[in-house]
Amino acid sequence: MQTFTTTAALTAAINEAKQANRTIGLVPTMGALHEGHLSLIRRARQENDLVVVSIFVNPIQFNNKEDLAKYPRTLEADCAAAASAGADIAFAPSVEEMYPEPVTTVYHFGPIEEVMEGPRRPGHFSGVAVVVRRLFDLTQPTRAYFGEKDFQQIAIIRNLLEQIKYPIELVPCPIVRADDGLALSSRNMRLSPEARAVAPNIYATLVQAVEMSEYEDVESVRDWVLDTLSTFHEVNSLPNGLRFEPEYFEIVNDTTLQPINDWNDAPGVVGCIAVWLDGVRLIDVIRFLPEEE
Ligand code: PAF
């Protein structure tokens, strides 16, 4: 695997691949690679001639300075992991290399950005769109791979592709979970051992919510999830002030991302949650409809 830190080196490699009519798979990441990322890289490896993994902590998608500062940076280990999963190129530019000029572009996505993460992280999705478009321009991929844990991000990228009319196939990939059910995330490594031990209760609660949806209405299921996590520390006497603080749990149409009121409101329904635990913001997604096999 080759590691490039300049756009010039990446462009030269991409031009060569394009001239040889090779297909290109892009896996955009912010590093701190885990099995979830590696599953995207392996899939890209199966489906493309050349696999490019970008490793770039994108400052303009962070609306919280502390979160940006604390974001794990593990470049050496990331390159080794990307290589072992089959990547051909790791592109790890500096901020100056990625953004030689101040960024002035702002993207708008309408109703899909007005829910869940959107209002809570102002500017986040525009920042994601700016970096993803830049990566698309630099790598000209045939296919681009994104994990479904960031469910709303996938809808945003799909909308971005419609806006900019690039013929890139968007490939959403399933969430990868630890054996205890916790959705893998680069942020998990910031959890204390005590917090890591209780974190799987987020997914366990979502699984129970899906069971409940067979006999309870949407509002009751939504309220139950929020209530169960908010009171978890009392019911289970968690130590050291440890507690779940849900920021939102929304049950939404999987295409429009708008909240539903009735299980028959949409053919595809997912539940999306953001929860604070131990100073770490965790997100997860569960499918209600159509039922998972
Ligand atoms: O999902 C992420 O890790 C980031 O939002 C992405 C797509 C790499 C853009 O910085």
Side-chain angles (χ1 to χ4, degrees):
M1 189 185 77
Q2 291 179 288
T3 302
F4 299 136
T5 55
T6 66
T7 56
L10 177 65
T11 302
I14 296 296
N15 287 345
E16 202 182 306
K18 286 279 167 190
Q19 268 171 9
N21 277 327
R22 302 178 78 199
T23 55
I24 300 174
L26 170 66
V27 183
T29 82
M30 295 205 298
L33 300 188
H34 51 67
E35 267 306 311
H37 297 113
L38 302 186
S39 74
L40 308 184
I41 298 172
R42 289 190 199 106
R43 172 112 181 240
R45 174 74 286 155
Q46 280 168 11
E47 297 177 351
N48 301 277
D49 299 323
L50 185 79
V51 175
V52 180
V53 178
S54 63
I55 300 171
F56 178 64
V57 182
N58 176 31
I60 65 166
Q61 73 182 76
F62 285 80
N63 55 316
N64 177 331
K65 283 205 174 98
E66 202 185 323
D67 197 24
L68 172 61
K70 282 190 186 163
Y71 205 85
R73 288 159 170 89
T74 54
L75 184 59
E76 216 173 297
D78 289 345
C79 288
S84 72
D88 298 302
I89 294 174
F91 175 53
S94 65
V95 174
E96 295 71 30
E97 184 72 16
M98 202 60 172
Y99 300 127
E101 307 288 336
V103 177
T104 52
T105 311
V106 178
Y107 286 97
H108 298 286
F109 299 98
I112 58 167
E113 70 172 339
E114 284 160 15
V115 292
M116 302 191 287
E117 297 293 299
R120 291 167 178 94
R121 303 176 74 186
H124 169 69
F125 286 127
S126 182
V128 168
V130 168
V131 78
V132 168
R133 182 179 186 165
R134 180 119 177 84
L135 291 167
F136 285 168
D137 286 337
L138 289 167
T139 55
Q140 301 170 53
T142 319
R143 301 179 187 86
Y145 297 79
F146 294 88
E148 284 186 326
K149 183 167 72 65
D150 293 293
F151 196 83
Q152 193 172 5
Q153 173 170 275
I154 292 181
I156 294 285
I157 308 286
R158 187 172 291 123
N159 185 298
L160 173 71
L161 283 171
E162 283 163 16
Q163 289 187 39
I164 62 180
K165 299 189 170 50
Y166 284 7
I168 297 170
E169 186 187 335
L170 174 62
V171 186
C173 299
I175 295 177
V176 177
R177 298 184 181 281
D179 289 345
D180 57 17
L182 180 65
L184 295 191
S185 163
S186 307
R187 291 188 165 88
N188 294 353
M189 63 174 75
R190 284 170 40 203
L191 294 169
S192 65
E194 293 78 15
R196 176 62 190 82
V198 296
N201 287 290
I202 300 170
Y203 180 60
T205 306
L206 297 181
V207 170
Q208 280 190 60
V210 172
E211 286 163 15
M212 272 177 82
S213 69
E214 285 175 22
Y215 51 88
E216 292 286 1
D217 62 22
V218 174
E219 193 182 349
S220 307
V221 173
R222 193 182 50 228
D223 291 351
W224 178 82
V225 167
L226 291 170
D227 194 52
T228 301
L229 288 171
S230 304
T231 57
F232 190 90
H233 61 291
E234 292 164 7
V235 177
N236 296 278
S237 311
L238 294 188
N240 312 328
L242 201 58
R243 56 181 297 175
F244 291 111
E245 288 171 281
E247 208 172 85
Y248 65 81
F249 173 59
E250 297 284 4
I251 299 178
V252 301
N253 177 318
D254 67 358
T255 307
T256 66
L257 303 191
Q258 301 310 299
I260 59 156
N261 297 312
D262 187 280
W263 297 115
N264 294 318
D265 279 355
V269 175
V270 293
C272 301
I273 194 164
V275 190
W276 286 93
L277 175 67
D278 198 26
V280 182
R281 189 172 185 273
L282 301 172
I283 60 172
D284 204 345
V285 182
I286 195 121
R287 181 159 286 281
F288 285 92
L289 291 167
E291 279 168 35
E292 275 169 316
E293 287 172 10

